[in-house]
């Protein structure tokens, strides 16, 4: 794997933020916060990366440390670390090889799908997930985008359990939820046992004809407690993007600054099911549609959460809807064990708030450190 040391400078705003969050505690680990209503040790309140380094990113590009399973029921793969991530690929600009490959793969896989489908030998689960369709039609159609256009690099895959449930929590960005699709392929193609990622999607997705049916077939379901509980009880790798529309619809000037993580419903779900929470950090999604404005009157008329204005859309019409080819990096952080909580903790607002804040801060700090190691946005 190519070193993660950046070949180009980050912008001044990002560098300033990174410096702010990476500065160690200047008054020592035993300083007590004297803010009104608090008496907690300041070292305990600061994120680990500000004291002794960041456990999720300080060893990018180095051999992985041994990983201890978080419970007896969940085992983790050995020998898969940062050096097993995707090779860094050259920029796809001015090259149509990816487009030709995508068309060829789609036609070939679709023909095979039709032949196999006629035999009727396939399964669909209670949510409508169709693995046969996903593997033979959908993934081949978008894999060229994943590999050639966004050139997705994956690290930390060893932190995903080889079996059993886990709740993956990620930052959300990009105007359209393309990041959910890229994460699904990242898990399927890089996990040692080829597991599927089951995404929890917004209600709006299932209110759109055609899109709703497609989302169900590729494994998505509604982001509600009942569906999430059932997926985790079934032992699935389940993913949630708690920022929701606030994340994917934020302006470009706020890129990589996490929005509010809702009311912590994902923490309640994880505790009730004793499922580990795995932070998932995504760099690259913010730059595919740089949103410089939001036409709220148009959005209200169309019943949309926002109507984006980007440098290319709607100026170039349909061509403006083509995402820019930013270089992506998806990192799976170390699991946060929830099995030590009793079931009543799921209804304790303070427990839920503290754990939600911890997960959010973990992702935010990881993003800052990934950005500090980043090279060119589009030519990396």
């Amino acid at each position: 794997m190519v070193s993660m040391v950046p070949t180009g400078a980050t912008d001044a705003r990002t560098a300033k933020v990174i410096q702010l969050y990476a500065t160690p505690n200047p008054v020592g680990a035993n300083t007590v916060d004297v803010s009104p209503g608090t008496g907690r040790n300041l070292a305990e309140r600061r994120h680990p990366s500000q004291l002794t380094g960041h456990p999720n990113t300080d060893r990018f590009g180095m051999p992985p440390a041994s990983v201890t399973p978080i419970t007896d029921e969940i085992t983790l793969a050995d020998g898969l670390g940062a050096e097993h991530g995707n090779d860094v690929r050259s920029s796809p600009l001015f090259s149509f090889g990816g487009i030709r490959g995508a068309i060829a793969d789609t036609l070939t896989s679709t023909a095979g799908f039709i032949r196999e489908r006629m035999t009727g030998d396939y399964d669909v689960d209670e949510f409508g997930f169709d693995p046969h369709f996903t593997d033979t039609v959908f993934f081949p159609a978008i894999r060229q985008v994943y590999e050639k256009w966004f050139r997705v690099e994956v690290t930390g895959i060893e932190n995903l359990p080889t079996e059993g449930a886990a709740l993956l929590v990620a930052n959300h960005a990009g105007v359209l939820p393309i990041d959910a699709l890229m994460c699904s392929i990242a898990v399927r193609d890089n996990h040692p046992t080829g597991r599927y990622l089951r995404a929890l999607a917004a209600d709006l997705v299932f209110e759109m004809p055609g899109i709703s049916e497609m989302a169900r077939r590729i494994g998505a379901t509604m982001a509600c407690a009942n569906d999430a509980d059932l997926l985790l009880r079934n032992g699935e790798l389940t993913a949630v993007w708690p920022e929701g529309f606030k994340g994917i619809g934020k302006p470009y000037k706020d890129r990589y600054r996490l929005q509010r993580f809702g009311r912590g419903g994902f923490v309640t779900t994880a505790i009730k099911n004793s499922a580990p929470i795995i932070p998932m950090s995504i760099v690259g999604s913010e730059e595919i549609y740089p949103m410089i404005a939001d036409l709220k009157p148009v959005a209200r008329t169309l019943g949309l959460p926002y109507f984006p204005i980007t440098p290319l859309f709607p100026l170039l019409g349909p061509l403006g809807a083509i995402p820019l080819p930013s270089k992506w990096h998806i990192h799976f952080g170390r699991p946060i064990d929830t099995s030590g909580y009793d079931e009543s903790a799921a209804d304790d607002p303070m427990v839920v708030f503290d754990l939600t804040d911890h997960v959010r801060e973990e992702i935010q700090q990881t993003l800052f450190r990934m950005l500090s190691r980043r090279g060119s946005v589009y030519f990396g």
Side-chain angles (χ1 to χ4, degrees):
M1 168 176 288
V2 177
S3 171
M4 294 299 297
V5 177
T7 57
T10 56
D11 60 82
R13 183 193 63 80
T14 301
K16 184 181 295 183
V17 173
I18 293 171
Q19 180 181 10
L20 172 65
Y21 277 82
T23 302
N25 183 4
V27 292
N30 296 320
T31 301
V32 176
D33 185 1
V34 295
S35 301
T38 63
R40 297 171 62 184
N41 186 301
L42 184 58
E44 294 176 354
R45 297 179 66 242
R46 294 180 71 86
H47 193 269
S49 66
Q50 296 170 273
L51 298 174
T52 58
H54 196 278
N56 275 337
T57 54
D58 280 351
R59 295 181 62 81
F60 276 156
M62 299 178 66
S66 59
V67 179
T68 303
I70 56 180
T71 72
D72 292 337
E73 289 76 25
I74 299 178
T75 58
L76 301 176
D78 295 326
L80 285 177
E83 78 277 11
H84 290 273
N86 307 86
D87 295 334
V88 176
R89 303 171 181 89
S90 60
S91 172
L93 293 177
F94 310 114
S95 172
F96 294 97
I99 298 177
R100 291 195 300 268
I103 294 174
D105 287 350
T106 301
L107 292 176
T108 301
S109 59
T110 301
F113 169 78
I114 294 173
R115 287 195 303 269
E116 295 175 16
R117 205 69 167 187
M118 293 177 66
T119 67
D121 186 19
Y122 61 92
D123 296 316
V124 177
D125 71 7
E126 62 266 46
F127 295 103
F129 176 44
D130 186 343
H132 183 219
F133 171 83
T134 301
D135 282 333
T136 58
V137 176
F138 186 77
F139 278 173
I142 64 173
R143 189 169 278 117
Q144 290 293 329
V145 176
Y146 171 93
E147 295 179 347
K148 305 296 185 182
W149 195 247
F150 294 138
R151 295 146 289 145
V152 181
E153 180 181 359
V154 177
T155 54
I157 198 70
E158 73 276 8
N159 289 320
L160 300 185
T162 55
E163 60 182 18
L167 184 62
L168 282 67
V169 182
N171 57 300
H172 211 12
V175 176
L176 296 177
I178 295 176
D179 48 8
L181 302 179
M182 297 301 105
C183 290
S184 296
I185 297 183
V187 172
R188 180 63 173 163
D189 287 1
N190 292 276
H191 194 276
T193 61
R195 298 191 67 179
Y196 293 102
L197 185 67
R198 306 298 297 274
L200 299 174
D203 294 354
L204 181 62
V205 172
F206 301 98
E207 296 171 359
M208 304 171 66
I211 299 296
S212 173
E213 291 78 5
M214 179 66 71
R216 291 282 186 187
R217 296 185 77 176
I218 63 175
T221 189
M222 295 183 67
C224 64
N226 290 338
D227 285 7
D229 285 338
L230 184 54
L231 284 173
L232 292 175
R233 285 198 299 268
N234 290 344
E236 301 283 0
L237 288 180
T238 307
V240 63
W241 288 261
E243 293 175 280
F245 292 122
K246 300 187 300 294
I248 58 176
K250 66 176 176 288
Y252 186 64
K253 64 182 179 64
D254 292 331
R255 61 195 179 278
Y256 299 111
R257 294 171 58 184
L258 294 186
Q259 304 300 297
R260 183 171 172 267
F261 267 24
R263 300 177 181 175
F266 70 90
V267 168
T268 299
T269 299
I271 292 176
K272 285 183 176 180
N273 292 277
S274 297
I277 297 174
I278 299 178
M280 182 166 57
S281 305
I282 307 166
V283 165
S285 56
E286 295 276 15
E287 291 86 10
I288 60 174
Y289 297 113
M291 193 169 86
I292 57 179
D294 176 12
L295 292 184
K296 296 185 184 299
V298 177
R300 285 194 296 268
T301 301
L302 299 176
L304 300 174
Y306 50 84
F307 188 86
I309 301 297
T310 75
L312 302 180
F313 180 84
L315 180 64
L316 298 184
L319 289 177
I322 299 175
L324 297 178
S326 58
K327 173 71 173 63
W328 285 43
H329 181 186
I330 299 174
H331 179 70
F332 300 99
R334 295 184 179 179
I336 299 171
D337 192 6
T338 65
S339 62
Y341 294 94
D342 56 44
E343 191 170 345
S344 63
D347 300 318
D348 186 332
M350 291 305 299
V351 172
V352 172
F353 175 80
D354 284 347
L355 191 49
T356 300
D357 189 58
H358 172 67
V359 174
R360 182 182 180 277
E361 184 70 6
E362 183 74 19
I363 297 172
Q364 182 69 87
Q365 291 292 328
T366 301
L367 288 174
F368 286 146
R369 291 185 177 254
M370 291 167 70
L371 289 169
S372 72
R373 292 158 168 79
R374 189 187 200 187
S376 171
V377 172
Y378 296 107
F379 295 93

